[in-house]
Amino acid sequence: MHSPDISRRDSAVVPGLPATAGEALARYLHAQAGDFLRSLRLHSESGADTAGVAEAARALRQASRRISGTLHTFRPLLDPAWADDLRTELAWLSATLAQEHAFTSRLGRLLEALARLSGATPLPPARGEVGALKDAAPESGEPSGAASGAASAGASTAADGAPRATGALTVGAARAGALLERQLTLARTRAHSAALQALGSSRFHAVADAVAVLASELPLGPVAAAPAVEALTPPAEFAERRLLEAVAGLPLARAAHPYNAEALVHGLAAASAGEAQDSPWHQVRLLLRLHRYAQEVLHPEADPVLCHAGLILDRHRDAAEAAAAAATAARTPRIAPATAYALGVLHADQRHEVEAARFAFQQVWQRTTAVTAP
């Protein structure tokens, strides 16, 4: 997604950009630091409002990522030691806060997919029923057959009242849903505890103090005194080149064909092979984010094409991680064949979602490069 506008050295290319690179960086980072501090205040004031806490945590992660990414890209213009220290701490904070949200959304995604694939609504059984199922089968990796069978039987009627055939997938879907809920809820609870511990630690308070200072003061290097476009363009172009090189290494020609099943075939391979095959796409997602943040320094308005491509790669990451969670659940000892079958179908479904995201990204990327090509 090459943007020829930022390749010119004429300061008229970016209207409204401050005279020096330091002023431009300070304007952007001061704004992001202010967003960080406002989100932190909202997080502390939300109390028992879980929706408010989640929204504040999302905004806190977003501001942390933008500050960290900007410090990484424009490090030559800043105090290197200060930038490296703050970037490392913000990356730790963002990763810690992201875990709870990731497990929550992953569980919702998998349960919705199970409901769609089995034709059962709602799925899985209520939390109280799940607890009863766990008590009934303390030594097994899944709920007992009687209770979950009743749940799946109750779900075998469509919303319009028409009966549905109860096959192997419908029988195993309720058990698979309960198993996934138990595993991912436990992981979410641990992530929540880790986030609370992090937010109360001295390490976090040191990060918050550093961001509070950043809201009014930015340690700059000598290069920051140069004209804005002249000093900011090379780091921004370097971030763009890294993105273009990473995308060039993706199998976009194969991804241009829908339902080519490459993501599914590799997803059924060993875990290391699947991760290696997804890894280049995840790397492109991170590099696209760095490129987008660099563009925000030069152009305050958001680029809708970059945002759209980023959302597609977010979907790719979410589907890949959901498929991995289904595969992990399928490796639980002593689960029934019907449960394993349901989890296998769920895994394949999420790998097809991975493939669909790759196809969508290829379409967006090819259209964009065709428009911006000289």
Side-chain angles (χ1 to χ4, degrees):
M1 295 180 186
H2 183 66
S3 177
D5 289 343
I6 66 169
S7 299
R8 305 177 193 158
R9 299 305 176 96
D10 184 1
S11 60
V13 171
V14 189
L17 194 68
T20 69
E23 292 172 349
L25 273 178
R27 181 180 67 177
Y28 182 79
L29 288 173
H30 290 342
Q32 297 304 320
D35 290 344
F36 180 98
L37 297 174
R38 281 189 293 273
S39 302
L40 181 57
R41 185 182 69 251
L42 289 175
H43 189 277
S44 61
E45 292 175 353
S46 296
D49 180 7
T50 55
V53 170
E55 177 61 23
R58 183 198 63 80
L60 196 61
R61 296 196 309 272
Q62 187 179 72
S64 299
R65 289 196 303 265
R66 277 181 161 78
I67 296 173
S68 178
T70 304
L71 296 179
H72 174 79
T73 300
F74 297 102
R75 181 179 181 273
L77 283 71
L78 304 168
D79 179 337
W82 170 85
D84 290 344
D85 290 343
L86 183 55
R87 181 167 60 89
T88 300
E89 294 305 289
L90 287 172
W92 159 76
L93 177 63
S94 178
T96 302
L97 295 181
Q99 290 301 308
E100 181 180 3
H101 169 74
F103 287 123
T104 301
S105 61
R106 194 172 305 151
L107 176 60
R109 179 188 186 95
L110 288 170
L111 295 185
E112 288 174 6
L114 270 176
R116 169 173 50 83
L117 293 168
S118 66
T121 305
L123 187 79
R127 184 174 298 275
E129 296 175 342
V130 174
L133 295 175
K134 288 189 291 185
D135 292 339
E139 297 181 358
S140 175
E142 61 176 339
S144 66
S148 60
S152 61
S156 63
T157 301
D160 58 2
R164 292 185 184 273
T166 305
L169 178 59
T170 305
V171 172
R175 296 182 176 186
L179 176 59
L180 287 167
E181 183 171 10
R182 184 162 72 248
Q183 291 182 347
L184 292 177
T185 299
L186 176 61
R188 180 181 61 191
T189 301
R190 290 173 175 168
H192 179 72
S193 299
L196 291 179
Q197 185 177 5
L199 291 174
S201 66
S202 59
R203 183 179 183 181
F204 169 74
H205 289 294
V207 175
D209 290 342
V211 175
V213 173
L214 177 60
S216 59
E217 180 182 346
L218 177 62
L220 296 168
V223 183
V229 175
E230 178 182 330
L232 294 176
T233 299
E237 288 183 337
F238 179 70
E240 186 179 33
R241 283 197 304 272
R242 291 183 65 201
L243 171 64
L244 294 173
E245 291 170 1
V247 173
L250 296 178
L252 292 185
R254 182 179 292 274
H257 302 283
Y259 308 110
N260 61 72
E262 182 186 43
L264 175 60
V265 171
H266 285 282
L268 294 175
S272 58
E275 291 170 3
Q277 193 251 356
D278 289 335
S279 180
W281 292 86
H282 297 333
Q283 180 67 12
V284 167
R285 172 179 169 271
L286 297 177
L287 293 175
L288 177 60
R289 177 179 289 173
L290 289 176
H291 173 56
R292 194 172 86 240
Y293 296 162
Q295 291 301 296
E296 290 176 356
V297 175
L298 291 163
H299 307 276
E301 68 281 0
D303 186 332
V305 176
L306 293 180
C307 292
H308 185 207
L311 291 175
I312 292 173
L313 292 177
D314 286 345
R315 280 168 34 203
H316 176 276
R317 186 270 319 268
D318 293 343
E321 292 182 347
T328 299
R331 288 191 287 269
T332 303
R334 298 185 299 279
I335 60 174
T339 307
Y341 173 73
L343 290 170
V345 172
L346 179 61
H347 175 269
D349 175 75
Q350 293 304 299
R351 293 306 303 183
H352 279 302
E353 291 292 330
V354 169
E355 183 181 301
R358 293 177 184 178
F359 175 75
F361 177 79
Q362 185 273 342
Q363 296 289 91
V364 171
W365 183 266
Q366 295 299 334
R367 285 198 303 267
T368 304
T369 52
V371 169
T372 59

